[in-house]
Amino acid sequence: MAPGPLSSSAGRYADRVETTKVAVIGAAGRMGAEVCRAVTAADDLELVGSYDQGDELGDLGGADVVVEFSVPAASPGNVAHCIEQGVHVVVGTTGWDDARLSALEEPLAAHPEVGVLIAPNFAIGAILMMRFAQQAARFYESVEVIELHHPAKVDAPSGTAARTARLIAAARSDAGLGDVPDATTQDPDGARGGRVDGIPVHSVRLRGLVAHQEVLLGGEGELLTLRHDSFDRSSFMPGVLEGVRHVGDHPGLTVGLEHYLGLSSEHDG
Ligand SMILES: NC(=O)C1=CN([C@@H]2O[C@H](COP(=O)(O)OP(=O)(O)OC[C@H]3O[C@@H](n4cnc5c(N)ncnc54)[C@H](O)[C@@H]3O)[C@@H](O)[C@H]2O)C=CC1
Ligand SMILES: O=C(O)C1=N[C@H](C(=O)O)C[C@H](O)C1
């Protein structure tokens, strides 16, 4: 089968002579282990280091690029270490609020050649879903985001849901839309869920799930549902490898893989 534009297949790179050296932080985790397998299977990439909690990161095994999938509390320190070592880094860990992003400015100013890609979701369908939700937002009075994940996930809402809600909120604001209509005055048990930038977000944790999200957009007499499902963590690998192969071409901080895919928009943060 011919590899797609985001294929993790190594075939299309078979004529390349040099390999990119890759290290993985969070290598013992669900995503880190999957990334180690994907890197090992790619002819143009070489796995030179794998690190988890308690390991000394040091020179990162001489890596050209680090892939970081750990926990929100540890990720900023790990990423800063990579930058200080002059190593590009592709980050999938969630929890990157404005304060954490700002803290990268200083190390990046000292190493302006280093590329940092932070992506809340590497699955192409999830990236498209966020873009479609952003495009649709101005046409609908109501919108709610429902994210559904495996019960081992520690953070809620998901990074993807938070980013989706922020993109929707910005698009609604630009279009002059006010608050979503909601007559609720009593909700002692929090049944209406949380809010991100005023957009209702609901988090489901269920055995058997991997990573799923719906965006419900309601207008007079109609409903538009945008849904994406990651049934397996392999769905994230083409995007991760795309990031690994191109992060060196994008010095400085980039938030969202869409910027590497020609899907940027003026509202992206
Ligand atoms: N951007 C994306 O496409 C995706 C992002 N994620 C995010 O990636 C992160 C990891 O997810 P999972 O692999 O499912 O979690 P996990 O819990 O299976 O793995 C996390 C790993 O990080 C390790 N760790 C903890 N502290 C560390 C430290 N200080 N240094 C290095 N490693 C440390 C843990 O020991 C564990 O092995 C989460 O924030 C999750 O939301 C998950 C899937 C896709
Ligand atoms: O923890 C997960 O599993 C996932 N985390 C990311 C998020 O929080 O958005 C990406 C994906 O949803 C899987």
Side-chain angles (χ1 to χ4, degrees):
M1 190 174 72
L6 272 186
S7 174
S8 58
S9 161
R12 63 201 272 238
Y13 299 99
D15 56 343
R16 285 193 182 176
V17 178
E18 288 196 8
T19 60
T20 299
K21 295 183 174 65
V22 181
V24 177
I25 299 179
R30 287 175 290 268
M31 284 298 292
E34 188 80 31
V35 172
C36 289
R37 283 190 287 274
V39 168
T40 303
D43 285 350
D44 62 322
L45 306 178
E46 181 188 357
L47 186 66
V48 296
S50 51
Y51 304 89
D52 206 89
Q53 188 167 22
D55 292 339
E56 184 63 46
L57 298 178
D59 71 352
L60 297 156
D64 305 307
V65 178
V66 162
V67 180
E68 211 274 358
F69 279 95
S70 64
V71 291
S75 189
N78 290 337
V79 174
H81 181 86
C82 295
I83 297 168
E84 284 154 10
Q85 292 291 315
V87 177
H88 307 301
V89 53
V90 172
V91 186
T93 311
T94 47
W96 285 91
D97 56 21
D98 286 346
R100 288 176 180 200
L101 291 172
S102 297
L104 295 181
E105 284 170 13
E106 201 177 309
L108 275 172
H111 297 273
E113 75 288 0
V114 171
V116 177
L117 169 63
I118 299 178
N121 203 310
F122 283 98
I124 182 64
I127 295 165
L128 290 170
M129 175 188 58
M130 285 187 262
R131 174 62 71 244
F132 297 155
Q134 186 182 22
Q135 288 177 329
R138 70 189 169 99
F139 297 104
Y140 290 90
E141 189 183 9
S142 289
V143 59
E144 308 223 355
V145 178
I146 306 170
E147 56 95 340
L148 311 91
H149 280 82
H150 58 92
K153 184 167 178 58
V154 297
D155 55 316
S158 71
T160 308
R163 182 162 171 80
T164 306
R166 289 192 186 106
L167 292 172
I168 290 170
R172 285 177 65 92
S173 170
D174 285 354
L177 292 179
D179 295 343
V180 293
D182 183 357
T184 310
T185 55
Q186 295 180 49
D187 181 14
D189 299 317
R192 288 289 291 121
R195 293 217 173 200
V196 175
D197 284 2
I199 306 300
V201 179
H202 311 268
S203 296
V204 176
R205 297 290 175 264
L206 213 65
R207 184 70 64 206
L209 297 183
V210 177
H212 317 258
Q213 181 168 295
E214 282 190 0
V215 182
L216 307 181
L217 297 129
E220 203 63 51
E222 69 160 308
L223 166 67
L224 172 64
T225 303
L226 304 173
R227 181 173 175 115
H228 177 257
D229 297 276
S230 275
F231 300 114
D232 190 277
R233 290 182 179 82
S234 57
S235 63
F236 303 113
M237 294 305 113
V240 171
L241 297 195
E242 187 77 3
V244 167
R245 287 170 177 137
H246 295 289
V247 65
D249 304 330
H250 298 265
L253 175 64
T254 303
V255 178
L257 184 64
E258 59 271 24
H259 300 288
Y260 288 21
L261 305 177
L263 291 168
S264 303
S265 104
E266 59 189 292
H267 303 299
D268 293 337

